[in-house]
Amino acid sequence: MEKSKIAEELRPFFEPKAVAIIGATDKKGKVGNVIFENFKTNKERGIFRGNIYPVNPKLDEIEGYRCYHSIKEVPDDADLAVISIPAKFVPATMRDIAEKDIKSVVIITGGFGELGEEGKRMEREILEIARANGIRVIGPNCVGVYVPNTGVDTVFLPENKMDRPKSGPIAFVTQSGAFAAAMLDWAAGANIGIGKMVSYGNKIDVDDADLMDYFIYDDEIRVVTFYIEGVNDGRKFIEAAKRITAVKPVIALKSGRTEYGAKAASSHTGSLAGADTIYDAVFKQTGIIRAEDFEHMFDMAKAFAKCGLPKGDRIGIITDGGGAGVMASDAVAKFGLRMAELGDETLKFLKEKFPPHAVAGNPTDVVGDTDAQRYRYAIEAFVNDPNVDAIVIITLFQVPLLDEMELIDILSEYAGKSDKPIVAVAMGGKKTEHYAKILEDRGVPVYPTPERGVRALAGLVQYARYLERRKE
């Protein structure tokens, strides 16, 4: 899709001039109240810069804001409407929105196609109104949109029940609203930045393909992650996927892999899950990287957000614990990568710099009496060895002579200046988590096990291979 068209159509969802909240209420805990409070709080914080127009026929004001009795009464700068009223009133409200000439609508309300024929009929009616009037719709049956940089937040779980993540270069698109809420809460706790989140529920209009086309041109987003239950228009999806994967990586977690899961997906969002082998083939054909689970998806997304792409699949491993090095080596084989064969110059350099009991090789084991300087020698050697394409650095911060902050300085220095992706593995408890967070804040992706660190690198290798194939 043409850049100007898709950007103009979807822009108000992410950066509206003014939002009308239909179903806003002063009753604490109600969906319409939480959404109103989200925008109000973000406006008070100076994040949301647009106007807020609560709409409720029974109220004249909510917390100092004038409440409009109809969408027709709101000022003309409103370019986004968020609907949280009972399903049976939504079609008539859509007609009023069309008359008001608002072109972007998020329908939070459930009770549509996922409940049967009457719900599907209402969806068709809403879509007809939208298409006839050039309106784009996210939903129904969703939690909508979250954009920390602009203060758009239609997630109807209050801040005292769900933490919001900081902004970052990852976009997350999901069919499931509950999954969206859980993921945002988890990302906040895991210190993972989410630049934009879209939960589209029954996706009667705006779908995965539209969002892929939008994110192609969003310079703030480096990697797009999807939770998908089913795709309605396969051809549209495939063409959009090919367009975006030429520019930036896409990771998909596709559920409904089994007969039981497919049945559950159908009852959840009215989605046709389809044969899983078909999705597998489509993902491979279009360059979408398939995640095995939630953890895998964000492990890869974190690597893409913080690392460049490797030139090949030869992995170098540096560790201060021999067992961890063995685990990482097993993972290299398991995920279809290769152990790098270090050059003679590299081995000579390491042997000169190391004490006799440290192991120069791949894995290189700086052993448990290491200091930060020994790590520097190893990293310097691996970065300069043309036989190494990517590096896994395992650090047990617990070893006695290691200055943790000095090692963090060294790791972040090389991650910043090397064109080879570098991921860190830090195993341990609370103290380790403290240092891992500092390291991540410095731009190095950190994983709690060797297997997860190597698996994340395998995603980078897979995408790099896909880009190479496209050139052929």
Side-chain angles (χ1 to χ4, degrees):
M1 184 178 278
E2 179 189 335
K3 175 183 178 180
S4 57
K5 186 170 188 286
I6 193 71
E8 188 55 35
E9 282 183 353
L10 300 192
R11 179 199 55 77
F13 289 115
F14 305 111
E15 41 184 306
K17 296 176 189 142
V19 59
I21 303 166
I22 302 166
T25 175
D26 56 3
K27 292 177 182 171
K28 296 294 179 186
K30 291 279 190 181
V31 170
N33 178 259
V34 175
I35 294 170
F36 168 75
E37 289 285 350
N38 290 346
F39 280 96
K40 175 176 172 285
T41 300
N42 283 337
K43 189 166 181 68
E44 289 167 355
R45 291 170 177 163
I47 305 168
F48 184 70
R49 299 179 185 279
N51 291 316
I52 303 168
Y53 303 129
V55 178
N56 187 321
K58 297 176 182 174
L59 297 173
D60 295 323
E61 68 94 29
I62 302 176
E63 295 184 35
Y65 280 77
R66 176 187 169 183
C67 192
Y68 299 86
H69 292 173
S70 163
I71 188 67
K72 294 179 185 177
E73 297 175 11
V74 305
D76 291 340
D77 62 338
D79 55 354
L80 173 64
V82 181
I83 299 176
S84 63
I85 56 176
K88 63 184 179 181
F89 300 120
V90 174
T93 301
M94 280 295 293
R95 288 193 187 89
D96 292 344
I97 287 169
E99 202 174 309
K100 187 65 186 173
D101 201 33
I102 294 172
K103 299 299 185 187
S104 303
V105 179
V106 178
I107 304 175
I108 303 295
T109 310
F112 288 93
E114 74 278 11
L115 293 187
E117 283 309 313
E118 175 56 19
K120 288 175 182 171
R121 185 200 63 74
M122 285 193 291
E123 285 184 350
R124 288 194 295 272
E125 186 179 350
I126 290 164
L127 187 57
E128 283 169 13
I129 297 164
R131 293 268 161 86
N133 294 278
I135 300 169
R136 299 309 308 262
V137 177
I138 288 177
N141 185 30
C142 70
V143 301
V145 180
Y146 170 75
V147 189
N149 277 348
T150 63
V152 173
D153 185 352
T154 68
V155 182
F156 53 83
L157 286 91
E159 286 190 358
N160 66 340
K161 297 202 174 206
M162 190 202 89
D163 286 332
R164 268 69 171 168
K166 63 184 180 181
S167 189
I170 301 171
F172 179 57
V173 180
T174 172
Q175 203 153 1
S176 164
F179 198 80
M183 186 284 305
L184 290 175
D185 197 28
W186 172 83
N191 200 35
I192 292 174
I194 303 293
K196 292 179 176 70
M197 185 286 297
V198 181
S199 153
Y200 52 44
N202 296 6
K203 58 175 174 182
I204 61 169
D205 176 38
V206 174
D207 61 12
D208 316 88
D210 295 317
L211 291 163
M212 283 191 276
D213 277 328
Y214 179 85
F215 286 127
I216 287 173
Y217 305 107
D218 187 334
D219 293 336
E220 293 177 356
I221 299 301
R222 287 188 62 180
V223 54
V224 184
T225 58
F226 283 89
Y227 168 75
I228 298 173
E229 290 179 2
V231 170
N232 298 330
D233 187 335
R235 187 172 296 280
K236 180 184 176 188
F237 180 91
I238 289 168
E239 293 307 314
K242 285 178 179 174
R243 285 191 289 271
I244 190 170
T245 54
V247 179
K248 58 184 72 171
V250 174
I251 303 166
L253 175 56
K254 165 68 176 63
S255 64
R257 301 187 79 150
T258 64
E259 179 188 342
Y260 295 141
K263 189 175 178 183
S266 179
S267 64
H268 176 211
T269 52
S271 180
L272 294 172
D276 195 65
T277 50
I278 295 173
Y279 282 93
D280 238 4
V282 166
F283 292 157
K284 286 189 176 86
Q285 177 192 343
T286 58
I288 290 175
I289 302 163
R290 184 166 193 170
E292 294 301 315
D293 50 44
F294 175 84
E295 200 172 66
H296 185 204
M297 178 165 68
F298 282 99
D299 279 352
M300 287 193 291
K302 190 162 69 170
F304 278 113
K306 295 176 183 288
C307 297
L309 293 179
K311 293 185 171 64
D313 62 358
R314 300 166 301 175
I315 309 302
I317 298 167
I318 300 167
T319 182
D320 57 1
V326 174
M327 290 167 65
S329 303
D330 278 343
V332 166
K334 180 178 179 180
F335 299 119
L337 307 174
R338 292 184 294 160
M339 291 291 284
E341 292 188 17
L342 301 182
D344 293 340
E345 287 297 314
T346 302
L347 294 170
K348 182 170 178 285
F349 174 82
L350 290 174
K351 285 170 183 171
E352 285 172 358
K353 298 294 184 183
F354 282 179
H357 60 286
V359 180
N362 193 18
T364 277
D365 186 356
V366 294
V367 298
D369 67 348
T370 190
D371 57 7
Q373 187 59 39
R374 209 179 291 169
Y375 265 105
R376 179 184 286 279
Y377 292 139
I379 298 168
E380 176 75 20
F382 278 52
V383 163
N384 290 329
D385 191 324
N387 300 317
V388 177
D389 298 312
I391 306 168
V392 179
I393 300 171
I394 303 166
T395 172
L396 302 173
F397 279 113
Q398 301 92 334
V399 298
L401 300 179
L402 188 66
D403 182 319
E404 297 90 350
M405 291 309 300
E406 187 183 353
L407 178 58
I408 286 169
D409 287 342
I410 291 167
L411 284 174
S412 53
E413 173 196 336
Y414 280 97
K417 70 184 182 182
S418 172
D419 60 355
K420 298 177 182 180
I422 293 174
V423 304
V425 173
M427 295 186 286
K430 289 287 182 193
K431 291 183 176 66
T432 294
E433 285 173 16
H434 168 74
Y435 293 117
K437 183 180 183 302
I438 297 171
L439 192 49
E440 291 223 312
D441 287 342
R442 301 272 194 95
V444 183
V446 184
Y447 300 93
T449 67
E451 180 158 287
R452 283 175 61 181
V454 174
R455 187 167 69 156
L457 268 185
L460 300 184
V461 171
Q462 184 181 336
Y463 182 59
R465 283 172 176 163
Y466 170 74
L467 291 180
E468 283 302 313
R469 286 200 306 273
R470 280 186 74 118
K471 291 177 187 172
E472 292 170 0

